Amino acid sequence: MTVHGLSILAVVPARGGSKSIPRKNLAKIAGRSLIEIAAVTLSNTSELDACVLSTDDEEMADEGRRVGLQVPFMRPAELAQDRSRAAPMWQHAWLTAEQHLGTTFDISVLIEPTSPMRVPEDITATINCLVLENHNAAATASRNPSHFTPEKALMLSERNTLEFFYEKGAKYTIRQNIPSYFHRNGLCYAVKRETLLSDGNIFENDCGAVITDRPVVDINEPLDLEFAEFLMKKDQRFGHSAVNKFVTG
């Protein structure tokens, strides 16, 4: 469905290699793989014209097809390494998808399976931020806890003493006095065609912010899977029916 007069491609990146959790994108929360959870959310997002999986792994490609994602190509090995950058992978997925699907997309969203706590409204809000506020890109972000800010950060000296990372950190003893900091949470990125394909940028220049006010989890360690499942069952944004549809069947 074309919205704002623009066609939109969703790309789900899922490379086969992972050191923290082997085969991480196939890891399951309440019986569903991270790829499937992403696919279910995309299927409930009406703004999207096509949803493709970018992977170098045949098993993950099969999983993508099983849950309704299009897999019209395989990702080249050089774009699926530990140190591979996201922008070239996304560029390849965008252009190759267009070749296979025979169409051109104005916008693309990147949906990382390792951030499973997204809802369709996160994707819609990111698209609207990009288009209605006329940014080059847009991304979801979460607020840093106050104890994870430069003002509270400490370093260990050669003498094994704790020192403030920020030279004025000692004066920020009251949490309310610390400025707000944010980090990307991986729920959704959106870019215009020229931003990524011509400039090679994702969020480096004029990236609109979609602030996520609820707890979310980025899956890096096995315990994160359990924590995400716990939060998804408790989070009112999902609700009981949404949790059932989203992670349990």
Side-chain angles (χ1 to χ4, degrees), residues 21 54 75 77 108 113 159 198:
I21 303 176
S54 171
R75 191 194 308 184
S108 181
R159 297 177 52 249
S198 297

Side-chain angles (χ1 to χ4, degrees), residues 8-217:
I8 304 175
L9 169 71
V11 174
V12 179
R15 70 184 184 91
S18 175
K19 293 181 179 178
S20 58
I21 303 176
R23 320 288 292 156
K24 180 164 61 173
N25 290 297
L26 294 175
K28 293 184 177 182
I29 295 176
R32 287 197 169 185
S33 72
L34 297 182
I35 291 175
E36 182 173 1
I37 293 172
V40 170
T41 309
L42 291 173
S43 71
N44 288 310
T45 306
S46 61
E47 292 88 351
L48 306 174
D49 295 283
C51 303
V52 301
L53 182 76
S54 171
T55 185
D56 62 318
D57 185 274
E58 289 292 347
E59 186 178 5
M60 295 192 186
D62 289 342
E63 175 70 356
R65 296 185 189 99
R66 185 186 72 81
V67 299
L69 297 174
Q70 294 176 274
V71 192
F73 58 85
M74 296 297 289
R75 191 194 308 184
E78 63 269 20
L79 299 179
Q81 305 303 310
D82 287 342
R83 297 183 180 274
S84 297
R85 295 176 55 245
M89 174 279 300
W90 198 353
Q91 290 171 328
H92 171 268
W94 193 327
L95 293 173
T96 310
E98 289 183 338
Q99 292 173 3
H100 283 273
L101 301 177
T103 189
T104 299
F105 296 98
D106 302 297
I107 291 171
S108 181
V109 295
L110 190 70
I111 302 299
E112 297 177 331
T114 50
S115 295
M117 295 185 63
R118 71 177 57 81
V119 291
E121 289 81 3
D122 296 320
I123 302 172
T124 298
T126 309
I127 293 170
N128 287 340
C129 178
L130 176 73
V131 176
L132 299 181
E133 297 182 17
N134 194 28
H135 295 293
N136 291 333
T140 55
S142 296
R143 188 183 304 271
N144 287 0
S146 60
H147 54 289
F148 290 152
T149 62
E151 289 79 5
K152 290 289 188 178
L154 301 173
M155 296 189 303
L156 193 63
S157 74
E158 294 181 356
R159 297 177 52 249
N160 196 38
T161 60
L162 295 174
E163 300 176 354
F164 280 105
F165 166 78
Y166 181 54
E167 62 180 9
K168 297 181 180 179
K171 76 175 185 178
Y172 287 95
T173 56
I174 301 176
R175 176 174 58 84
Q176 287 77 6
N177 292 340
I178 298 176
S180 295
Y181 294 88
F182 300 86
H183 62 276
R184 293 168 286 151
N185 58 31
L187 295 180
C188 186
Y189 300 90
V191 294
K192 295 178 179 177
R193 184 182 184 84
E194 181 177 358
T195 302
L196 183 66
L197 299 186
S198 297
D199 300 337
N201 294 330
I202 296 179
F203 48 81
E204 293 90 339
N205 180 26
D206 183 32
C207 181
V210 179
I211 304 303
T212 306
D213 290 327
R214 66 186 190 277
V216 298
V217 180

